[in-house]
Amino acid sequence: MSIKSIRIVNILSFEDSIISDFADFNCIIGKNNVGKSNFLKTLQFFYTQLNSEKVVHPSFNSNYSSTGTITITYDTTKLESVIRSNKSKSNYQKHIYSSLFKGDLLLFSKNITRGEYKLTLTISRDGSINWSEKDIRVRKILYRIYPLFHIDTRRIDLYDWDQLWMTVSQLKFLNTKKLNTEQIVDFFDEKVSSNSSSYKEYVEIIGELTKTSPYNYQDLILNYIKVGLRGHTFNINGNSLNSQSDGTNSHKFIELFISLIITLTRREFITPIVFIDEPELGLHPKLNEQLFNNIYKIYKSLKKGEEQKKLKKYATPNPKIIVTTHSPNILKTIVKLFKDEGEHSVQHFTFKNKKTKITKLNTTFKDKRFLNIFGDTEARLYFSEFILFVEGETELELFGNLNLISHFPCLSRVDVSKVNEVMLKALSPRTSNASIPFMTLYDADKMLSYNGDDNTLSLLEKEVNLHKIYKRYKLKTYFSKDYQTKVDLKRLLSIHGSQLNLSKNGITYDKFNYRKFIDNCNKTLIKTDRIYLPHSTIEELLISEHSLELMYEWLYSNAKKLNGDVLKIDGKGDINKKLNGFRERFCVSKIFFIFRNIFTDKEYNGQISDENKKFVNYVFRRNMVALARKYSVFSDFEKATILRLALNGKTHTLFSTSSKHYGLVVSEDIRKAVDELKSDCLSRLPIQVGKTGGWVTSFLDYSIEKLAKSVDEENSFEHLFSCKFPTLSVILKEISNSID
């Protein structure tokens, strides 16, 4: 390793922040203006001072403190090993030995313990600085052995890559003191002009006529390197840089830069820090993947594993690559490729109360199933402001509704993710350690089950497991802040295994306040696990006693849109003659008879007169009114349940029309009403009533438009909406409060 940790105290947006346990590839993610750029500025300032450069120091986080500090702890394990084992040390190694280790590896300086060196830079308000290590020779050694390289993709000269040559020259130690200029000139003169000595004379003339300063070490090394190459002008696949697109040049520059650093440091004890700021700029997502795929191949080809030694495989510590990115594509690729221990880490930056918080995410996944399905969509969640985990397509349709988002703007900042247990276990901020607010929306049948055979209500050990949650709080004492949560959980668990009689209609319980029980569960589950349950299923967020009037109006509005020639009507005989007869003898009291003789399972494809089209539509609407009157004997709760069942929802006993005990526990009159509503109304409307049929969007759009027209000085839209959709409003408010 090159660095073990970086700690920043009272500088820029950092109050007291630390990044430790650096991996070979390190992703820094977070929203704009959370401190990612400040981290780079701080690191760069540390290195400018390490190199004794004159620059303005960064501002402090708090005015109440007169100093700020930057502490970098370097890993010296490899360096110590090299200095110990190399008996024929070079002059520079002897210099390291005498300076860094004070001449005795067993008697370290005050800043060094075996395996690490801690260096602190203290900045005072007056601009003065102070190092924990006073010896400038030591600081120069650290600057040389642990160099910092930075790629700012916004400022890369895409058509001049000479920066790469300067990088190359910093990655190799060569003893240049034994090189004699005259000997070098004589060597070239013999090779290129042995008969005339023209090369030597040419160099001497230039030397006599010009005044030049001696080469510094890096320039000298670079010249010797270039002499050994066939050229020094970079190209891409034989084509000049000027002939390539900006994206291609950026991609190839970054790839070559990192590849050179990884490869050239394999047999050196130089271990650089490489900071790449937003490499995705200007790149197609597939180029992002290709970039890190190519880097990974080089990285893996040179990395020594636990197996026996292999040619060109080295145990030398890899340079530490730090990548700041807003790209889920890059994050996904790094997490999937660099999956072994120590190969990658992800640091999540957040900003609150004018301070940057740094959290290391748990992105090492033992479950191979998850890595196989981990894609851009899943990686995007690490960049979220709020994550709403849901079960199915209906929830995605509901919370993605554009009209709903326009009236509740907080939803535009929410990522709604459909997940299974494998996905949720890996991506939940509770598991990943991300500082991202979230909520998981489950149907109540993921927690409860009613057995129609023995009339027992059970708390399941499935997705919502109150038994397991209680175990986390079981040992909380009276003086613990979580003691009341423990009491609440124990009270909720007391219902498990209880025998409960159902109401006469079989759609709820006789003497058990089911709604209050679910409400109490939600109060506790939001606190413990950020889970929320509708009283039955997602359909009940839209269809309840409160929204009945809107539901009726919506159904009727759809009926008015019907055209007679798209309805299924009896196709036998002369259809117009038949319809003329019904129209001439129409009687409201016989509406059910007339309806069933016109609307059948057979579809008529012939021509219907315009007058009969209007009549067919009229019959359909009159039948709907008649059904509503027929169902007036039911309570509003029963009516809402009938509508939910017809639209694939469930009762409060969590039975659907396809449940095993549906026909046994739900009363005949409820079941008959459901069947009539489906066959005589819903199945003939210009909407699909399945889980993904679009009725959710249609009904929600209609309701929002209707409510928006009713807004006045006394009734805001939010108030009107909460009256019609109270449970959905609670969820939206919880999301809004969590984001704000």
Side-chain angles (χ1 to χ4, degrees):
M1 299 179 77
S2 59
I3 49 174
K4 298 185 77 170
S5 67
I6 299 174
R7 183 182 181 185
I8 308 169
V9 178
N10 195 37
I11 293 178
L12 296 174
S13 59
F14 303 100
E15 181 183 45
D16 188 349
S17 300
I18 186 168
I19 295 181
S20 57
D21 300 324
F22 279 90
D24 291 340
F25 277 76
N26 306 271
C27 268
I28 295 179
I29 63 172
K31 296 188 295 183
N32 290 327
N33 298 317
V34 295
K36 300 190 300 297
S37 296
N38 285 344
F39 179 72
L40 172 59
K41 291 175 184 176
T42 304
L43 196 56
Q44 286 179 314
F45 178 77
F46 183 94
Y47 267 82
T48 59
Q49 299 310 293
L50 204 56
N51 197 36
S52 302
E53 299 175 33
K54 298 291 185 181
V55 293
V56 178
H57 73 80
S59 60
F60 292 156
N61 179 260
S62 171
N63 293 324
Y64 295 103
S65 178
S66 59
T67 62
T69 62
I70 309 166
T71 301
I72 297 183
T73 302
Y74 295 96
D75 189 325
T76 59
T77 306
K78 181 64 178 178
L79 184 60
E80 291 177 33
S81 175
V82 171
I83 299 298
R84 268 199 205 97
S85 61
N86 194 345
K87 295 180 181 178
S88 57
K89 297 180 179 66
S90 67
N91 290 335
Y92 192 69
Q93 288 174 337
K94 290 177 182 178
H95 174 60
I96 295 173
Y97 183 88
S98 61
S99 301
L100 189 60
F101 301 107
K102 307 304 179 187
D104 191 339
L105 284 171
L106 299 178
L107 297 173
F108 302 100
S109 75
K110 65 179 181 178
N111 296 309
I112 192 166
T113 56
R114 191 173 294 280
E116 66 178 43
Y117 191 99
K118 184 179 292 186
L119 183 62
T120 298
L121 171 64
T122 301
I123 309 164
S124 299
R125 191 170 296 282
D126 61 5
S128 62
I129 64 167
N130 182 51
W131 288 100
S132 59
E133 175 57 70
K134 307 302 181 185
D135 191 340
I136 191 172
R137 296 177 305 163
V138 173
R139 302 201 299 270
K140 290 293 184 182
I141 289 170
L142 294 174
Y143 183 84
R144 182 75 176 88
I145 295 178
Y146 305 104
L148 171 67
F149 299 107
H150 170 224
I151 299 177
D152 185 346
T153 49
R154 298 174 185 82
R155 295 175 177 82
I156 295 175
D157 189 334
L158 297 175
Y159 304 100
D160 183 356
W161 291 6
D162 280 352
Q163 178 189 349
L164 290 174
W165 289 122
M166 297 307 298
T167 301
V168 165
S169 68
Q170 295 178 46
L171 298 177
K172 182 67 178 176
F173 287 117
L174 292 174
N175 186 358
T176 61
K177 291 185 177 180
K178 294 182 179 180
L179 293 171
N180 185 291
T181 304
E182 291 183 0
Q183 291 176 335
I184 294 173
V185 171
D186 288 340
F187 173 80
F188 278 105
D189 188 60
E190 181 183 348
K191 295 296 182 182
V192 300
S193 58
S194 58
N195 296 326
S196 63
S197 298
S198 61
Y199 171 79
K200 186 174 183 178
E201 293 176 1
Y202 193 74
V203 170
E204 288 176 350
I205 293 171
I206 294 174
E208 291 173 358
L209 296 175
T210 59
K211 301 292 184 181
T212 58
S213 300
Y215 284 114
N216 62 33
Y217 173 80
Q218 274 187 239
D219 288 338
L220 195 60
I221 290 294
L222 183 56
N223 283 327
Y224 290 146
I225 291 171
K226 285 186 176 182
V227 165
L229 299 174
R230 294 182 179 179
H232 73 279
T233 302
F234 292 100
N235 65 66
I236 299 175
N237 298 325
N239 299 313
S240 69
L241 299 181
N242 289 327
S243 67
Q244 307 296 314
S245 69
D246 287 358
T248 298
N249 284 2
S250 177
H251 166 220
K252 289 300 181 182
F253 178 88
I254 296 171
E255 180 183 318
L256 182 56
F257 189 97
I258 298 176
S259 299
L260 283 169
I261 288 178
I262 291 175
T263 305
L264 294 176
T265 57
R266 293 301 75 218
R267 299 187 67 178
E268 293 291 330
F269 52 87
I270 295 177
T271 46
I273 306 164
V274 183
F275 202 108
I276 310 171
D277 197 11
E278 299 185 26
E280 67 270 17
L281 294 182
L283 298 189
H284 185 277
K286 284 300 177 184
L287 268 186
N288 288 334
E289 293 183 16
Q290 184 181 332
L291 169 62
F292 284 94
N293 267 294
N294 292 342
I295 292 170
Y296 175 74
K297 289 176 183 177
I298 293 174
Y299 167 82
K300 213 63 177 177
S301 69
L302 297 170
K303 185 178 180 182
K304 183 180 178 181
E306 295 180 357
E307 69 278 4
Q308 62 265 40
K309 291 182 180 179
K310 288 186 177 181
L311 185 64
K312 295 185 179 180
K313 296 265 187 179
Y314 306 103
T316 311
N318 277 284
K320 295 295 161 272
I321 314 294
I322 302 173
V323 179
T324 65
T325 182
H326 293 285
S327 168
N329 185 263
I330 286 180
L331 177 62
K332 171 206 71 177
T333 305
I334 289 177
V335 168
K336 294 187 76 166
L337 290 179
F338 301 88
K339 59 183 181 297
D340 294 334
E341 184 177 355
E343 290 189 347
H344 91 267
S345 75
V346 179
Q347 306 288 342
H348 186 221
F349 279 42
T350 52
F351 189 75
K352 191 174 183 179
N353 299 325
K354 297 183 179 180
K355 297 177 180 66
T356 295
K357 178 183 177 183
I358 305 174
T359 307
K360 182 180 179 181
L361 302 188
N362 178 17
T363 53
T364 303
F365 306 106
K366 296 180 180 179
D367 194 333
K368 292 183 179 180
R369 295 175 300 170
F370 174 74
L371 277 178
N372 289 336
I373 60 177
F374 183 59
D376 293 350
T377 301
E378 291 72 33
R380 173 185 167 87
L381 299 182
Y382 289 109
F383 299 85
S384 298
E385 289 188 72
F386 186 98
I387 308 172
L388 179 62
F389 294 107
V390 298
E391 290 188 78
E393 301 296 334
T394 303
E395 290 90 336
L396 294 177
E397 184 181 352
L398 169 57
F399 291 101
N401 184 281
L402 295 178
N403 280 320
L404 187 67
I405 293 172
S406 69
H407 287 279
F408 295 94
C410 65
L411 285 178
S412 64
R413 300 163 65 185
V414 173
D415 283 300
V416 186
S417 176
K418 178 184 173 184
V419 292
N420 53 37
E421 275 305 286
V422 173
M423 192 71 70
L424 184 60
K425 186 177 180 181
L427 291 178
S428 168
R430 186 178 296 280
T431 304
S432 69
N433 200 35
S435 300
I436 302 172
F438 73 101
M439 179 192 295
T440 306
L441 191 61
Y442 280 117
D443 288 344
D445 56 8
K446 294 299 186 292
M447 182 184 74
L448 283 170
S449 175
Y450 182 79
N451 190 327
D453 292 328
D454 59 11
N455 300 333
T456 57
L457 185 67
S458 300
L459 291 169
L460 303 173
E461 297 187 23
K462 295 175 66 177
E463 289 86 344
V464 185
N465 189 342
L466 287 175
H467 303 278
K468 186 176 181 179
I469 296 172
Y470 177 71
K471 288 180 181 178
R472 301 204 312 256
Y473 293 85
K474 187 176 181 179
L475 300 179
K476 300 298 180 182
T477 63
Y478 180 79
F479 297 100
S480 169
K481 63 182 179 64
D482 295 318
Y483 178 75
Q484 187 57 49
T485 302
K486 168 188 171 180
V487 172
D488 294 338
L489 283 165
K490 191 173 183 180
R491 186 180 297 117
L492 295 173
L493 284 169
S494 65
I495 197 65
H496 177 63
S498 299
Q499 284 195 325
L500 301 174
N501 293 323
L502 301 183
S503 59
K504 291 181 179 180
N505 53 27
I507 59 175
T508 189
Y509 301 94
D510 186 14
K511 295 181 180 180
F512 173 56
N513 192 333
Y514 173 78
R515 274 186 171 154
K516 185 177 180 181
F517 174 76
I518 294 296
D519 290 342
N520 289 335
C521 285
N522 282 329
K523 289 178 183 178
T524 301
L525 288 169
I526 278 290
K527 189 187 303 181
T528 63
D529 289 66
R530 298 294 300 166
I531 290 174
Y532 198 91
L533 309 169
H535 291 107
S536 57
T537 59
I538 191 69
E539 285 77 14
E540 192 160 356
L541 295 184
L542 297 177
I543 309 172
S544 68
E545 304 94 296
H546 308 282
S547 60
L548 271 180
E549 185 179 352
L550 280 174
M551 179 63 73
Y552 290 154
E553 293 174 356
W554 168 69
L555 289 172
Y556 197 75
S557 70
N558 274 281
K560 290 171 69 175
K561 298 175 185 177
L562 290 174
N563 192 336
D565 56 7
V566 299
L567 291 170
K568 292 182 179 180
I569 60 177
D570 193 347
K572 294 180 181 180
D574 187 338
I575 192 67
N576 282 296
K577 182 177 179 181
K578 181 178 181 179
L579 291 174
N580 288 338
F582 280 123
R583 181 161 47 84
E584 293 169 0
R585 299 187 299 274
F586 180 79
C587 179
V588 173
S589 62
K590 294 183 179 180
I591 186 62
F592 293 134
F593 171 80
I594 296 172
F595 179 87
R596 287 184 175 85
N597 275 274
I598 293 177
F599 293 90
T600 69
D601 292 333
K602 298 177 181 178
E603 189 169 357
Y604 179 70
N605 296 317
Q607 291 294 321
I608 304 175
S609 67
D610 291 341
E611 197 170 24
N612 281 331
K613 287 180 182 179
K614 295 178 182 178
F615 175 66
V616 167
N617 184 280
Y618 175 74
V619 169
F620 186 86
R621 287 184 284 116
R622 289 299 311 211
N623 187 70
M624 285 182 66
V625 173
L627 284 175
R629 288 175 179 169
K630 181 179 179 181
Y631 298 157
S632 63
V633 297
F634 294 116
S635 67
D636 285 350
F637 171 71
E638 289 171 323
K639 294 174 186 175
T641 303
I642 290 168
L643 279 165
R644 283 201 307 276
L645 287 169
L647 289 166
N648 298 300
K650 292 189 175 184
T651 66
H652 279 188
T653 52
L654 302 179
F655 293 129
S656 68
T657 56
S658 60
S659 297
K660 174 183 175 182
H661 292 101
Y662 174 73
L664 299 175
V665 298
V666 177
S667 64
E668 183 180 359
D669 55 342
I670 295 287
R671 287 185 281 117
K672 186 177 180 181
V674 172
D675 292 340
E676 285 182 341
L677 182 62
K678 291 170 71 173
S679 63
D680 295 350
C681 178
L682 297 178
S683 64
R684 303 181 186 280
L685 290 175
I687 54 170
Q688 298 296 318
V689 297
K691 281 285 185 180
T692 57
W695 74 264
V696 169
T697 297
S698 177
F699 175 54
L700 197 53
D701 286 346
Y702 175 86
S703 300
I704 290 172
E705 183 179 348
K706 182 81 174 179
L707 294 174
K709 292 178 179 178
S710 302
V711 172
D712 55 31
E713 293 181 358
E714 296 182 359
N715 296 294
S716 66
F717 178 85
E718 289 78 8
H719 171 71
L720 294 173
F721 190 86
S722 66
C723 290
K724 298 298 182 182
F725 307 103
T727 307
L728 179 56
S729 293
V730 170
I731 293 172
L732 294 174
K733 186 175 181 180
E734 181 67 33
I735 291 173
S736 178
N737 291 341
S738 297
I739 293 177
D740 296 337

